[in-house]
Amino acid sequence: MPATTEQHEDRVKRFCADLESLKPNDVIRKHITTGMPVYLDEERYFQLRSRIADEFGLYPSEVVLVGSCRMGFSIAPKKRYREARQNSDLDVAIVSTDRFDNYWDGVFAYAANDAAWKQSKAYKQFVRMLFNGWIDPRGLPNVPRFERATRWTSFFDALMQSRQFGSRRISARLYRTWMRLEAYQEQSIRQCLVHLGDDNA
């Protein structure tokens, strides 16, 4: 159910209070990587994590929902504190060192033998993702070496088309470690801190 104006304002207020009193990593752990999402009930959150974990041979705790459907509002600079909607994207973070390294090793070997791809927009986008701490296998070439990436894309497309989790786009990013996931989220947390300081000035 959509939040009332009062509920939305209360969520933002509690988040901002924690910004002022907690360390950034504790804010992330309290509001982003633990607990129940705001816009997905307990049963469907369990089903989402279980289906993804089963598909990729992971433990469900390695799959978490982040973003506005997790918090009830966005913390992205251009949408800061804007309420999530019923059709807001489900942003999934998957944490797996083995899977991350497998993709990274494959890209390293492929780029060494395909000069044209190494100059492509897709490769440059992959490098930007990598240096932000995550990988989206959806953008990798459709070649036998990246068969797992094709399977990744097919799985999430089918999951979205099933409408089991509403008429939402489902996007997923792969992180090597929880530390990398927190480091990426910390960028937005620190921007929120700056914004809060500006408001209090």
Side-chain angles (χ1 to χ4, degrees), residues 36-42 44-45 48 65 90 165 168:
M36 290 302 303
V38 171
Y39 277 82
L40 206 60
D41 63 49
E42 185 176 356
R44 288 200 297 169
Y45 189 38
L48 176 68
L65 188 67
L90 293 178
F165 305 101
R168 298 182 174 102

Side-chain angles (χ1 to χ4, degrees), residues 3-201:
T4 64
T5 299
E6 184 178 351
Q7 287 172 324
H8 173 66
E9 290 177 350
D10 183 58
R11 286 182 189 132
V12 173
K13 183 178 179 180
R14 284 186 279 116
F15 173 75
C16 289
D18 285 338
L19 277 177
E20 292 186 297
S21 62
L22 300 177
K23 295 181 295 185
N25 278 359
D26 288 334
V27 174
I28 293 165
R29 292 167 190 173
K30 182 175 180 179
H31 291 273
I32 300 175
T33 59
T34 64
M36 290 302 303
V38 171
Y39 277 82
L40 206 60
D41 63 49
E42 185 176 356
E43 179 60 26
R44 288 200 297 169
Y45 189 38
F46 172 77
Q47 291 172 1
L48 176 68
R49 300 175 85 186
S50 293
R51 287 195 61 180
I52 295 171
D54 288 347
E55 175 68 20
F56 298 110
L58 303 168
Y59 196 74
S61 63
E62 296 174 299
V63 180
V64 294
L65 188 67
V66 296
S68 62
C69 281
R70 166 66 188 87
M71 301 178 68
F73 54 87
S74 175
I75 56 172
K78 293 183 179 179
K79 300 184 289 184
R80 186 174 289 121
Y81 305 140
R82 186 184 301 171
E83 182 185 355
R85 304 298 181 189
Q86 288 294 98
N87 62 348
S88 293
D89 291 358
L90 293 178
D91 297 317
V92 176
I94 298 172
V95 181
S96 173
T97 299
D98 289 344
R99 289 195 167 270
F100 187 99
D101 287 350
N102 181 270
Y103 279 116
W104 172 223
D105 290 345
V107 168
F108 183 84
Y110 188 74
N113 293 290
D114 190 321
W117 187 68
K118 196 170 183 179
Q119 299 300 316
S120 70
K121 183 178 179 180
Y123 177 79
K124 292 179 174 62
Q125 183 176 14
F126 179 88
V127 171
R128 284 196 298 273
M129 289 188 295
L130 186 67
F131 279 90
N132 272 310
W134 52 273
I135 290 173
D136 182 355
R138 184 179 287 274
L140 295 177
N142 186 15
V143 297
R145 178 185 293 275
F146 298 121
E147 182 180 354
R148 284 186 177 183
T150 303
R151 179 181 164 191
W152 171 289
T153 300
S154 298
F155 170 76
F156 281 107
D157 285 349
L159 195 63
M160 185 167 49
Q161 290 161 11
S162 75
R163 301 292 182 96
Q164 182 180 356
F165 305 101
S167 55
R168 298 182 174 102
R169 179 176 178 271
I170 301 175
S171 62
R173 293 175 174 179
L174 178 62
Y175 293 82
R176 190 174 190 275
T177 63
W178 290 99
M179 185 176 68
R180 296 278 177 84
L181 171 57
E182 288 184 350
Y184 180 73
Q185 295 291 333
E186 188 175 340
Q187 297 175 50
S188 295
I189 294 298
R190 291 198 177 280
Q191 289 170 352
C192 288
L193 271 169
V194 170
H195 181 261
L196 186 63
D198 290 344
D199 283 351
N200 293 336

